């Protein structure tokens, strides 16, 4: 199984001295697109005012653009440790043991805007770039990445579990011929109605991937994932829409203490 996660706008600073190694990232077929995007970001950073405007930063965020000037030399962290925010807080990769982190390395790609999908333990620097940005000297990021990422995913025969936001799906749709499922987090209210979630969408996805990693889940198909989820106490079900699975969060579990959405006693 190959899991695709979105990045987070918020990132942990710092890291080890080892610089970015573009050639060493997962999916090496994306090297040309990565080099072009990194070069464009570094060039943009030379003009702070233009960088603030292009990256759509407020006056109090302008300093974030300066990180892009150092993309090739800045300290790096494993991608799954670099990102913070709700999804990555729930995943809490830093607290996982070595075996669970190896599972993440083997099964999880995080789709960043400047580097494309990278392995969970691939080391990346901090940066500022969103999926909807058009960089000077490059086509819109969708045109930079979409076809190349789709081809790279197609090279894998693994079942793909797509947990990305729609903005990042657009930067590399899963090939229609690939065995895949897109996960949408929903809640069932007391009247039996289903509604999509936002904040708890991210939390549920992070907690779900953490559970998979902790159990070193061996999943090779959509049916296998549904079986694993049922045995592990997760409410994952067919949505009735082609290609989409619902990860169900009970209304009574949508408080801040949510840990295992839709879980039931085992």
């Amino acid at each position: 199984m190959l899991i695709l996660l979105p990045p987070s706008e918020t990132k942990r600073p710092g890291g080890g001295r080892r610089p970015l190694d573009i050639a060493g990232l997962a999916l090496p077929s994306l090297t040309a697109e990565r080099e072009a995007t990194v070069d464009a970001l570094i060039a943009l950073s030379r003009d702070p005012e233009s960088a603030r405007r292009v990256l759509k930063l407020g006056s109090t965020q302008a300093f974030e653009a300066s990180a892009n000037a150092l993309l090739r030399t800045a300290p790096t962290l494993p991608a799954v440790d670099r990102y913070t925010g709700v999804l990555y807080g729930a995943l809490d990769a830093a607290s996982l043991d070595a075996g669970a982190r190896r599972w993440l390395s083997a099964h999880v790609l995080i789709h960043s805007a400047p580097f494309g999908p990278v392995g969970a333990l691939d080391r990346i620097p901090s940066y500022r770039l969103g999926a909807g940005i058009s960089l000077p000297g490059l086509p819109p990021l969708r045109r930079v990445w979409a076809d190349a990422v789709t081809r790279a995913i197609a090279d894998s025969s693994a079942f793909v579990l797509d947990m990305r936001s729609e903005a990042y799906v657009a930067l590399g749709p899963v090939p229609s011929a690939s065995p895949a499922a897109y996960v949408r987090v929903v809640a069932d209210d007391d009247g039996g109605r289903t509604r999509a979630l936002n904040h708890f969408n991210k939390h549920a996805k992070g907690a779900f991937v953490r559970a998979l990693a902790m159990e070193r889940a061996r999943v090779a198909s959509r049916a296998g994932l549904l079986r694993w989820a049922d045995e592990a106490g997760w409410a994952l079900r067919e949505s009735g829409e082609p290609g989409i699975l619902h990860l169900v969060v009970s209304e009574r579990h949508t408080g801040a203490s949510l840990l295992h959405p839709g879980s039931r006693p085992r």
Side-chain angles (χ1 to χ4, degrees):
M1 177 171 62
L2 183 64
I3 300 174
L4 301 177
L5 291 179
S8 172
E9 185 176 288
T10 57
K11 301 171 187 70
R12 184 170 287 107
R17 294 183 179 180
R18 192 187 318 171
L20 174 67
D21 176 15
I22 288 180
L25 298 176
L27 306 182
S29 64
L30 301 177
T31 295
E33 289 78 12
R34 289 164 171 157
E35 292 282 3
T37 307
V38 166
D39 284 346
L41 262 180
I42 292 173
L44 176 62
S45 71
R46 298 188 183 115
D47 182 343
E49 182 56 32
S50 292
R52 188 179 71 82
R53 175 176 48 79
V54 170
L55 299 175
K56 301 178 182 178
L57 300 174
S59 57
T60 61
Q61 300 172 303
F63 73 94
E64 295 185 31
S66 62
N68 293 336
L70 305 173
L71 285 177
R72 293 192 182 275
T73 58
T76 57
L77 284 171
V80 75
D81 299 322
R82 173 66 71 192
Y83 296 109
T84 60
V86 175
L87 189 156
Y88 291 94
L91 201 165
D92 193 14
S95 71
L96 293 173
D97 64 25
R101 286 177 66 86
R102 284 194 296 271
W103 189 95
L104 291 176
S105 179
H107 296 281
V108 173
L109 294 176
I110 302 172
H111 198 155
S112 74
F115 312 119
V118 299
L121 299 190
D122 284 354
R123 301 183 68 92
I124 61 171
S126 186
Y127 66 88
R128 181 64 188 234
L129 182 66
I133 300 299
S134 294
L135 293 172
L138 287 182
L141 289 181
R142 183 170 183 172
R143 288 174 54 195
V144 171
W145 288 115
D147 289 346
V149 171
T150 297
R151 287 193 299 270
I153 295 172
D155 289 339
S156 169
S157 59
F159 167 68
V160 179
L161 185 64
D162 194 348
M163 306 183 87
R164 296 173 295 175
S165 58
E166 291 183 5
Y168 283 90
V169 170
L171 296 190
V174 175
S176 58
S178 295
Y182 182 81
V183 173
R184 184 173 294 151
V185 180
V186 300
D188 289 341
D189 63 23
D190 293 336
R193 295 179 296 272
T194 296
R195 63 182 179 88
L197 298 175
N198 184 11
H199 174 90
F200 292 102
N201 161 60
K202 297 176 182 178
H203 191 286
K205 288 177 178 178
F208 188 71
V209 174
R210 179 180 176 85
L212 285 161
M214 289 179 68
E215 295 200 16
R216 280 68 149 175
R218 301 179 68 179
V219 172
S221 67
R222 182 192 190 99
L225 178 65
L226 288 166
R227 282 195 302 271
W228 177 87
D230 183 64
E231 292 169 1
W234 291 82
L236 186 69
R237 71 189 186 198
E238 296 285 358
S239 68
E241 301 174 70
I244 296 177
L245 295 176
H246 279 171
L247 182 57
V248 184
V249 176
S250 170
E251 284 277 348
R252 65 181 180 278
H253 287 130
T254 54
S257 62
L258 173 67
L259 291 177
H260 296 286
S263 64
R264 59 182 186 273
R266 297 179 65 179

